[in-house]
Amino acid sequence: MNDRLLTFLNKYKYHFLVWSIYTVYELTLVVIATGKSTTLDVFIFYNTFNISLFYIHVIVLKHTLDDPDNTLKLRLLFLILIELVLYISLKKICEVLLYEAMDYEDSANLLEEMVKRLYRPVYFIGYGTGYYFLMRSWRQTQLLEKMEQQHFKNLIQQKEIKNELILTQNTFLKSQINPEFLINTLDYLYQETHETAPKAAENIASLSAIMQYALSEETLTGFVKLEKEVELIENFLLLHQARQVNRAQLKLVYTQEALATSFIPLVLMTLTENILKHGKLNDPDKPAEIRITCKNSILRIETANQRSSTSNFSSHGIGLKNIKDRLSMTYGETASFDYYLDSKGYFYTAIEIRSAIGDYT
């Protein structure tokens, strides 16, 4: 029993504090205004009615205004009238029963009597209304803050889940082979061939550089300098050219500012593979092009190539969709990726990253 009482007092301690302060305030006003002090039992008697009306009115507002049923809201005025009638009636009855010896002056003026009887209940109904809307506003503010916090938590969790998925996929792919064994083997082949077959050794060195980069921890962090990506593409093109009878006509154009920019790995590789697979690259006068620029913190990666007559436009989709998803996941609305085939048979792609991060020193 004592625990329940302590819990109740602790829960509503601020209510008791405020009413105590208000009681002292009203007693002081009575003394100042009339020069007389009232007895404690009379003050408790009247304040019990007033404070009870305050909380009853708050409950009435809660069950009418908070209810989604609009018909209850229409009954609010009727319920307030009931509150006033019950307050005045019960108070009058209790006054007669408890203070029957008191000499009451009956006012000859009915209006004056009604004002006297209605002043205090209307006063505390006003307090109750203000308290209800204050608490309602506070609850709505708390709810909005919780919703915003939950929204941010969900965004962070989604981001973490996606990042963990990417890291898991990369780690899984990396674990399928022994990187050290592979790199050492390529290094051995390079040493064995660089004197007898220098061209083959050069290709082995390019392949080794590609594998070291693809299997490095750097590509697992989420961002790399574009300089590393360009080196990867140059090595990749070197290997590709070695396998072809005719040299593929593909230009790689970039600025020094762009090379210092951080970017997600292997996107350039996908674009390059897309060009080599679907492009017409045998015309020196109309070479394919990969252009990388960065100006005013806006990174642009653009490609253009003639479409091969044997290429199906719809087959571009998987790799390009993967790029679009990765850009959206990493950069959100600050990134855009567009691609299209024009009427002359040229296929274009354009990546734009606003507020790109780079080291320009």
Side-chain angles (χ1 to χ4, degrees):
M1 182 67 181
N2 290 334
D3 291 341
R4 290 183 179 179
L5 179 60
L6 288 174
T7 302
F8 174 80
L9 292 174
N10 184 63
K11 183 177 181 180
Y12 295 103
K13 58 186 176 183
Y14 294 112
H15 288 255
F16 288 111
L17 177 62
V18 170
W19 285 120
S20 298
I21 294 172
Y22 181 79
T23 300
V24 173
Y25 160 76
E26 279 220 326
L27 282 172
T28 304
L29 281 184
V30 169
V31 172
I32 293 173
T34 64
K36 301 177 182 179
S37 60
T38 183
T39 60
L40 184 62
D41 65 317
V42 171
F43 193 82
I44 292 174
F45 170 77
Y46 285 108
N47 259 14
T48 299
F49 277 94
N50 295 334
I51 294 173
S52 298
L53 177 62
F54 173 89
Y55 286 109
I56 289 171
H57 183 65
V58 171
I59 293 171
V60 168
L61 290 176
K62 181 176 177 59
H63 284 83
T64 53
L65 298 183
D66 288 357
D67 197 290
D69 187 358
N70 288 324
T71 57
L72 289 178
K73 296 180 177 63
L74 299 176
R75 301 175 191 173
L76 179 59
L77 182 59
F78 176 70
L79 292 173
I80 293 175
L81 291 175
I82 292 177
E83 288 179 43
L84 292 171
V85 170
L86 289 175
Y87 173 90
I88 294 171
S89 302
L90 289 174
K91 182 180 174 186
K92 184 66 176 177
I93 293 170
C94 290
E95 284 175 343
V96 172
L97 292 176
L98 298 176
Y99 301 104
E100 55 185 354
M102 293 179 65
D103 184 21
Y104 291 98
E105 286 187 12
D106 293 328
S107 174
N109 190 324
L110 180 60
L111 180 61
E112 183 181 344
E113 178 68 19
M114 289 181 61
V115 170
K116 286 182 178 180
R117 290 290 176 180
L118 288 174
Y119 169 71
R120 293 296 281 176
V122 170
Y123 185 70
F124 278 89
I125 283 175
Y127 273 155
T129 302
Y131 173 78
Y132 165 78
F133 282 106
L134 179 65
M135 295 305 296
R136 183 180 183 180
S137 175
W138 180 79
R139 286 195 302 269
Q140 289 175 342
T141 301
Q142 293 292 103
L143 180 61
L144 285 174
E145 288 179 356
K146 287 182 180 179
M147 290 174 64
E148 288 179 356
Q149 290 175 359
Q150 188 61 44
H151 177 66
F152 285 128
K153 285 181 181 178
N154 291 339
L155 289 177
I156 292 171
Q157 288 176 352
Q158 290 176 7
K159 187 75 172 179
E160 288 176 349
I161 290 171
K162 289 177 180 178
N163 288 339
E164 287 177 5
L165 179 60
I166 292 172
L167 290 174
T168 301
Q169 290 174 337
N170 289 341
T171 303
F172 174 77
L173 292 172
K174 185 177 177 180
S175 68
Q176 302 307 295
I177 55 176
N178 186 324
E180 186 176 354
F181 169 78
L182 179 60
I183 300 303
N184 288 340
T185 301
L186 290 172
D187 185 59
Y188 167 77
L189 293 174
Y190 172 78
Q191 296 298 332
E192 289 293 312
T193 58
H194 79 282
E195 291 185 359
T196 58
K199 192 169 184 179
E202 185 182 358
N203 292 331
I204 291 172
S206 296
L207 178 59
S208 179
I210 290 173
M211 298 307 297
Q212 286 187 64
Y213 177 72
L215 297 172
S216 67
E217 293 295 330
E218 189 176 13
T219 58
L220 299 179
T221 60
F223 291 93
V224 294
K225 294 294 184 183
L226 271 172
E227 181 179 10
K228 297 289 186 180
E229 290 286 287
V230 169
E231 288 177 6
L232 173 67
I233 298 306
E234 289 174 338
N235 284 317
F236 179 73
L237 290 174
L238 186 64
L239 286 177
H240 177 80
Q241 304 291 17
R243 295 168 45 231
Q244 306 298 318
V245 176
N246 297 316
R247 184 180 180 85
Q249 302 300 317
L250 173 59
K251 291 197 305 182
L252 183 58
V253 182
Y254 49 81
T255 64
Q256 291 301 313
E257 188 179 27
L259 293 182
T261 307
S262 296
F263 192 58
I264 53 177
L266 304 179
V267 169
L268 280 181
M269 175 65 80
T270 302
L271 292 173
T272 304
E273 288 178 332
N274 202 57
I275 292 173
L276 295 176
K277 182 178 179 181
H278 301 289
K280 182 180 178 182
L281 307 173
N282 58 358
D283 189 348
D285 296 327
K286 297 179 180 178
E289 183 175 276
I290 301 175
R291 181 175 294 273
I292 309 168
T293 59
C294 187
K295 188 175 182 180
N296 298 326
S297 297
I298 298 177
L299 173 67
R300 289 188 62 84
I301 301 174
E302 300 167 292
T303 71
N305 62 273
Q306 281 187 296
R307 186 182 62 135
S308 172
S309 58
T310 59
S311 173
N312 183 2
F313 178 66
S314 61
S315 64
H316 288 267
I318 297 175
L320 298 181
K321 183 180 182 302
N322 180 51
I323 292 175
K324 196 176 189 72
D325 290 342
R326 291 184 63 199
L327 291 171
S328 176
M329 184 189 308
T330 306
Y331 298 100
E333 294 182 357
T334 64
S336 63
F337 179 42
D338 300 304
Y339 52 89
Y340 63 95
L341 180 68
D342 70 9
S343 58
K344 297 181 179 179
Y346 269 84
F347 185 73
Y348 297 91
T349 69
I351 295 172
E352 182 175 281
I353 310 294
R354 296 174 291 282
S355 300
I357 301 172
D359 179 12
Y360 307 127
T361 58

